[in-house]
Amino acid sequence: MKILLTTLNAKYMHTALSLQYLYSYCKDAFQNIVVQEYTINQRLNYILGEIYKGKYDIIGFSCYIWNISQILQLARNLKKINPHQIIVLGGPEVSFDSVELMKEHPYIDYIVFGEGEETFRELLDCLINEKTELAQIKGIAYRDGEEIHQNEARELIKNLDTIPSPFEDRIQQNEKKIIYYESSRGCPYNCSYCISSTIKGVRFFSLDRVKKDLNILIEKCVRQVKFVDRTFNANKEHSLEIMKYLAEKDNGYTNFHFEMTGDRIDEEMLEFLSSVREGLFQFEIGVQTTYDKCAASINRNVDFCKLSRTVKTISGFKNIHLHLDLIAGLPHEGFKRFRDSFDDVYRLKPQKLQLGFLKLLKGSKIRKEKDKYGYIFQEEPPYEVLGNDAIRYEELLKLKGIEEMLEKYYNSGDFQNALEYIFAHFYKSPFEFYQDLAEFWESHGYHHISHSRDALYKNLLDFYLQKNFKGREIFEEILKLEGIEIIGLGTN
């Protein structure tokens, strides 16, 4: 039987680690497996046609919040074209309501929930070799006539090294896409908004296995390796050894991205980080909130004072790109209090400040507690919050405007000198500036259209003049230094 493993990535540059794991775990027993990745930006009719032309007997889709709607549409139409084709869904978006999904969508034949490698292999063995009965396969939901059954959950894989490496023969030379990698599974924290909290404990690949994999990626000169470990530095010895190995094997090109917990970075790690090549590492540090009451309600215990000291120290090295994250819409944190969190994190001057909006993911504790905090949220993916007892939809819309200004003027990195001048002379609160800029932006209808880089400079100057700030000539000179000729762009 011919098997397709596929998904729709959010962007072309992304890759699906889940599919590569399934392929590597099953390829020795089932040689006729094809991995094909698409994106949500491609036409569904094109994807439908390409899958149809493959004449597959079994199609496995990897499902996430960004692609579930398109995958369900594809699966429905594939089943119409070929009713005998077997449709299997897996991934976090189908792991928490499998029976309900199958009742609602009769074209789904099987759902693999939870960790999928062992389960999918056993399912293929059952479907192709008829060696196993469906009722005996842990971790699946399936149909038996008109009945839908969900078997008991499968135990987690204890020894992750038993999963064959997906990188030995799957990476092309000079790969330009982002390659996703994990050195561990699980998270030591229990944040209520994250589905990682549904899995207890952290399991690690051995250092020998990790080094072998990473050496392949380094030799292939991939552009970026993005570790998907929920907390890369959950175990300092493990993470530090990996980073030292990467520094030792540095090819001068590949960048490695890690999700780090700032207050777990100690002096030994800081001393090492101070000497690595600029551009070798990129850290994403989730702050989410600086409001203690809010943090306690989501089971997030982070020492912000220690995190701040660590971020400032790393920033002083000037060799590591720092991303800091905030989440709007968390319990107890209203619009005014979110301003404080924003200002606290902005003043740490990361290279990028990501302002995200809470999503009430299936399986998460906060979704189960939605009534406790008065949540209203989108019933469709990505399940984004629309309001709660502390913040109204109108206020979230204002934060959306602030997010847009943050992306265009701060995270782009194109306006550093201009922003520093504005803050030095006219604003004590960064949040207040971005709020004013967002209101100016919307009042002129700029949110309806796209803007070139030159237009962004012009709009910033227009904002400056509308606010009647002094020193137009100085500000224009600063903008020229940023790389744009201002003559004729300002309004009087």
Side-chain angles (χ1 to χ4, degrees):
M1 297 181 79
K2 194 173 181 182
I3 305 155
L4 173 67
L5 294 173
T6 190
T7 193
L8 280 67
N9 296 320
K11 296 180 180 179
Y12 172 76
M13 68 175 61
H14 296 174
T15 53
L17 180 59
S18 58
L19 300 184
Q20 304 302 332
Y21 273 132
L22 292 175
Y23 175 82
S24 66
Y25 202 83
C26 298
K27 66 179 181 179
D28 64 319
F30 308 96
Q31 282 75 44
N32 206 9
I33 302 179
V34 175
V35 177
Q36 181 61 55
E37 300 177 39
Y38 301 95
T39 79
I40 59 174
N41 300 309
Q42 291 176 292
R43 292 182 297 107
L44 286 184
N45 279 340
Y46 165 78
I47 300 173
L48 179 68
E50 290 301 296
I51 294 177
Y52 170 78
K53 286 185 285 188
K55 304 298 181 184
Y56 302 104
D57 301 291
I58 301 172
I59 303 177
F61 287 99
S62 186
C63 304
Y64 298 86
I65 56 175
W66 61 80
N67 65 20
I68 184 63
S69 298
Q70 294 94 325
I71 284 175
L72 289 174
Q73 184 175 333
L74 284 169
R76 180 173 63 248
N77 289 323
L78 285 165
K79 202 70 166 181
K80 288 178 179 179
I81 298 167
N82 182 1
H84 300 291
Q85 206 163 46
I86 297 172
I87 303 294
V88 184
L89 304 188
E93 187 53 27
V94 298
S95 287
F96 298 98
D97 58 353
S98 302
V99 173
E100 290 77 7
L101 270 172
M102 294 184 71
K103 287 179 179 177
E104 185 177 351
H105 304 285
Y107 46 85
I108 303 172
D109 297 301
Y110 303 94
I111 286 181
V112 172
F113 62 90
E115 206 163 57
E117 289 90 355
E118 292 178 327
T119 303
F120 188 69
R121 181 176 173 125
E122 286 186 20
L123 179 59
L124 291 182
D125 203 30
C126 174
L127 297 175
I128 297 173
N129 300 322
E130 300 181 351
K131 290 184 178 181
T132 309
E133 294 183 7
L134 288 172
Q136 298 175 339
I137 302 175
K138 295 180 179 179
I140 66 166
Y142 65 97
R143 298 182 186 278
D144 182 8
E146 297 298 318
E147 298 293 324
I148 298 173
H149 301 276
Q150 180 168 320
N151 295 344
E152 66 176 292
R154 180 175 295 274
E155 299 83 359
L156 299 174
I157 298 174
K158 293 181 179 179
N159 181 5
L160 295 179
D161 283 6
T162 60
I163 305 172
S165 172
F167 301 105
E168 292 180 351
D169 58 356
R170 304 292 292 176
I171 302 297
Q172 301 298 317
Q173 190 73 30
N174 295 317
E175 179 64 71
K176 298 300 182 184
K177 294 186 177 183
I178 297 172
I179 302 299
Y180 291 90
Y181 186 78
E182 63 178 359
S183 69
S184 66
R185 291 183 178 179
C187 183
Y189 297 101
N190 191 35
C191 302
S192 65
Y193 56 82
C194 181
I195 58 173
S196 293
S197 63
T198 62
I199 301 174
K200 304 303 179 184
V202 185
R203 293 160 293 147
F204 297 89
F205 286 90
S206 70
L207 286 170
D208 287 342
R209 160 65 182 271
V210 172
K211 290 178 180 179
K212 183 179 179 181
D213 284 347
L214 293 176
N215 195 57
I216 294 172
L217 302 179
I218 292 168
E219 289 184 349
K220 293 293 185 181
C221 286
V222 302
R223 183 174 67 86
Q224 184 180 64
V225 178
K226 190 168 185 177
F227 279 67
V228 295
D229 303 50
R230 300 311 302 162
T231 302
F232 176 68
N233 58 330
N235 180 301
K236 191 195 81 172
E237 288 72 23
H238 184 83
S239 58
L240 187 56
E241 180 66 21
I242 292 171
M243 288 193 291
K244 286 182 176 179
Y245 180 79
L246 295 175
E248 176 188 342
K249 297 293 183 177
D250 181 18
N251 61 17
Y253 174 74
T254 304
N255 166 261
F256 297 89
H257 177 107
F258 308 101
E259 293 189 28
M260 305 282 281
T261 298
D263 61 351
R264 294 178 75 110
I265 300 175
D266 65 7
E267 292 300 322
E268 181 184 5
M269 185 172 286
L270 286 172
E271 182 177 356
F272 161 73
L273 293 174
S274 68
S275 62
V276 301
R277 170 180 66 84
E278 181 180 357
L280 177 62
F281 296 149
Q282 179 173 299
F283 290 171
E284 182 175 349
I285 298 176
V287 182
Q288 321 311 11
T289 180
T290 65
Y291 185 27
D292 290 341
K293 183 178 181 180
C294 175
S297 71
I298 58 173
N299 302 318
R300 185 164 184 83
N301 301 310
V302 174
D303 185 337
F304 182 69
C305 290
K306 184 176 181 181
L307 181 151
S308 298
R309 291 194 297 270
T310 299
V311 167
K312 291 176 182 177
T313 300
I314 294 175
S315 294
F317 300 154
K318 300 186 183 303
N319 60 351
I320 295 174
H321 196 84
L322 286 173
H323 290 192
L324 301 185
D325 298 339
L326 283 171
I327 298 179
L330 293 172
H332 305 300
E333 189 164 58
F335 185 83
K336 291 182 179 180
R337 183 54 187 80
F338 185 82
R339 165 184 170 156
D340 295 337
S341 288
F342 184 98
D343 286 349
D344 290 340
V345 177
Y346 191 95
R347 291 185 179 116
L348 295 177
K349 298 183 178 180
Q351 278 73 31
K352 184 172 183 178
L353 171 54
Q354 180 172 314
L355 200 174
F357 292 81
L358 179 66
K359 297 170 178 60
L360 276 70
L361 302 175
K362 291 181 180 179
S364 65
K365 181 181 178 183
I366 202 165
R367 182 161 174 153
K368 297 173 184 177
E369 296 179 336
K370 61 183 185 299
D371 295 334
K372 179 179 179 181
Y373 301 110
Y375 272 108
I376 55 173
F377 64 100
Q378 297 172 351
E379 297 293 333
E380 306 77 26
Y383 315 114
E384 190 170 292
V385 62
L386 299 173
N388 63 26
D389 289 341
I391 193 166
R392 305 186 311 275
Y393 179 65
E394 177 184 358
E395 294 170 320
L396 289 169
L397 274 182
K398 291 181 180 180
L399 293 181
K400 289 280 188 178
I402 291 171
E403 177 204 20
E404 183 181 1
M405 296 301 95
L406 188 71
E407 286 296 316
K408 293 181 183 300
Y409 284 100
Y410 182 79
N411 290 336
S412 68
D414 292 333
F415 302 88
Q416 183 176 351
N417 294 321
L419 293 177
E420 288 183 358
Y421 182 82
I422 288 173
F423 289 129
H425 293 85
F426 308 112
Y427 284 94
K428 293 183 179 179
S429 166
F431 184 91
E432 183 181 343
F433 162 73
Y434 286 104
Q435 184 177 5
D436 285 353
L437 184 60
E439 291 174 356
F440 164 85
W441 197 265
E442 185 165 348
S443 70
H444 285 71
Y446 293 156
H447 60 299
H448 296 305
I449 57 177
S450 60
H451 298 267
S452 67
R453 184 169 176 265
D454 288 3
L456 292 177
Y457 281 101
K458 175 187 180 301
N459 295 343
L460 184 59
L461 178 59
D462 286 347
F463 167 79
Y464 188 95
L465 298 176
Q466 182 172 301
K467 296 291 288 186
N468 292 316
F469 291 148
K470 297 179 180 180
R472 169 179 177 161
E473 295 79 9
I474 295 175
F475 192 66
E476 286 185 351
E477 288 300 318
I478 292 172
L479 290 177
K480 290 178 182 179
L481 291 174
E482 302 278 21
I484 187 68
E485 185 64 40
I486 298 300
I487 297 175
L489 294 182
T491 58
N492 293 314

